Amino acid sequence: MLEAQSLTRVFGSTTVLDDVSLRVEPGRMTGFVGANGAGKTTTMRILMGVLAPSSGEVLWGGEPITAEVRRTFGYMPEERGLYPRMGIREQLVYFARLHGLSTGQARQRADDLLGHFDLTDRAGDVLDDLSLGNQQRVQIAAALVHRPTALVLDEPFSGLDPLAVDSMTDLLRTEASDVPLLFSSHQLDLVERLCDDLVVLSGGRVVAAGSVADLRSRGAERYRVVLDGHDAAWVRDLRGVRVESVDGPTALLTLDDLPASELVAAAVARGPVVEVARVQQPLTEIFREVTR
Ligand code: ATP
């Protein structure tokens, strides 16, 4: 497991990270979200050892991390890291060789990754001649080329079309199925779909963290009632509920002091019911609440 423990980073008189602790568990995709300037890139740089913390430390398997361990990680930095005028296959092979693969293994690996991203016929092209989306795919391939023991990816999905997102997530799920993977993103719908765990940063502090499922189900007991054609206004007469909205046969409400079974019974007693369902809080709402 990769951990940050009480990281603080000060630039001049500005505290950019304030006591940031987080855990990235192997085999779980961890999303790292927060408004512009929240401190995500700074945290990732510290995790990768590109930047030193003012205080706090990074742990790997519970022990202070070493440069040697970090060399086995895959990193996609915000400023990206590849050579614009070098052939894409050539540089994947080069990075794989730097990480100790033999020439034969490096070539095989580069070809496999290029194949996954449908870039085999572009293998001889220089990076700059590819579209931005394809450049992004090569950046990811470079982070994966040496079969990293952990992945730290700064906005790997920015600028990708939905199909490219799918092929990249497929690859990450296969390649990082048993290593810690942390990635930052502003696309909350994507984070909600992909992540197992989530860390929300606001103003340099962690304001929420945990599994996406727990974060979404905690808090209010919200239910949606949909009746078969008849009006749902009667929910306003129920005791122990707060009604958010009633729109014809549909009502949205929160159960404060009424068991869900009694809500179902009350609905059924009034006529045919299409559904009574728990409504999970969307990530966008959680995000708005915790970063307010
Ligand atoms: P974004 O989503 O916009 O990429 P972020 O969450 O990644 O933002 P950071 O890039 O970590 O945020 O920046 C956090 C804060 O630290 C910002 O206010 C930024 O201006 C400041 N900062 C980052 N690097 C430096 C630096 N080298 N010197 C001074 N301030 C810096």
Side-chain angles (χ1 to χ4, degrees):
M1 179 167 45
L2 177 64
E3 275 174 278
Q5 209 169 55
S6 297
L7 296 181
T8 298
R9 174 68 210 206
V10 179
F11 286 115
S13 58
T14 314
T15 300
V16 166
L17 295 184
D18 183 7
D19 198 22
V20 168
S21 295
L22 56 87
R23 298 149 69 95
V24 190
E25 310 233 13
R28 293 178 69 80
M29 277 204 192
T30 302
F32 198 21
V33 302
N36 290 130
K40 303 177 297 293
T41 295
T42 306
T43 305
M44 290 177 137
R45 286 189 174 138
I46 293 174
L47 288 174
M48 289 307 300
V50 177
L51 184 72
S54 303
S55 64
E57 61 183 339
V58 178
L59 305 179
W60 176 246
E63 301 288 329
I65 196 165
T66 61
E68 212 177 347
V69 167
R70 280 183 170 123
R71 269 198 293 277
T72 65
F73 287 4
Y75 179 38
M76 182 168 169
E78 187 183 44
E79 62 279 12
R80 309 308 185 217
L82 300 183
Y83 300 108
R85 302 303 307 160
M86 186 173 173
I88 59 173
R89 179 174 188 262
E90 193 186 352
Q91 53 189 318
L92 289 180
V93 172
Y94 170 73
F95 285 116
R97 294 280 294 126
L98 273 187
H99 279 98
L101 273 71
S102 70
T103 307
Q105 289 168 330
R107 286 182 182 151
Q108 185 61 55
R109 183 78 177 137
D111 290 341
D112 288 349
L113 288 166
L114 290 173
H116 179 91
F117 286 133
D118 286 332
L119 288 171
T120 306
D121 4 335
R122 311 295 303 269
D125 291 5
V126 300
L127 189 73
D128 255 2
D129 288 347
L130 302 184
S131 69
L132 283 180
N134 279 339
Q135 291 190 24
Q136 192 92 330
R137 289 165 146 124
V138 180
Q139 299 280 352
I140 283 282
L144 289 168
V145 78
H146 56 289
R147 299 193 190 280
T149 58
L151 275 167
V152 176
L153 309 173
D154 204 342
E155 300 211 26
F157 300 106
S158 68
L160 292 184
D161 68 49
L163 285 180
V165 167
D166 284 350
S167 79
M168 194 175 292
T169 48
D170 274 357
L171 186 68
L172 288 176
R173 281 194 207 288
T174 324
E175 294 280 334
S177 62
D178 55 356
V179 304
L181 190 169
L182 180 72
F183 75 90
S184 61
S185 177
H186 290 289
Q187 295 155 271
L188 293 181
D189 52 335
L190 197 64
V191 170
E192 183 156 19
R193 186 157 65 83
L194 300 182
C195 286
D196 305 295
D197 293 328
L198 185 69
V199 178
V200 187
L201 208 60
S202 178
R205 306 192 67 121
V206 174
V207 290
S211 81
V212 172
D214 283 354
L215 288 170
R216 290 188 62 197
S217 63
R218 83 180 178 188
E221 293 260 304
R222 289 169 85 216
Y223 280 81
R224 182 174 48 244
V225 177
V226 183
L227 306 174
D228 195 2
H230 56 103
D231 199 70
W234 55 267
V235 295
R236 297 194 191 279
D237 301 328
L238 289 172
R239 282 170 176 273
V241 308
R242 266 175 298 144
V243 178
E244 261 176 61
S245 64
V246 176
D247 182 10
T250 302
L252 197 60
L253 47 86
T254 298
L255 301 184
D256 283 337
D257 201 17
L258 182 81
S261 55
E262 288 189 27
L263 174 65
V264 174
V268 170
R270 280 177 169 80
V273 174
V274 176
E275 71 165 0
V276 176
R278 176 96 183 255
V279 182
Q280 287 210 317
Q281 208 179 5
L283 219 51
T284 42
E285 239 171 68
I286 298 171
F287 183 78
R288 237 179 268 128
E289 252 170 45
V290 297
T291 57
R292 203 162 28 210

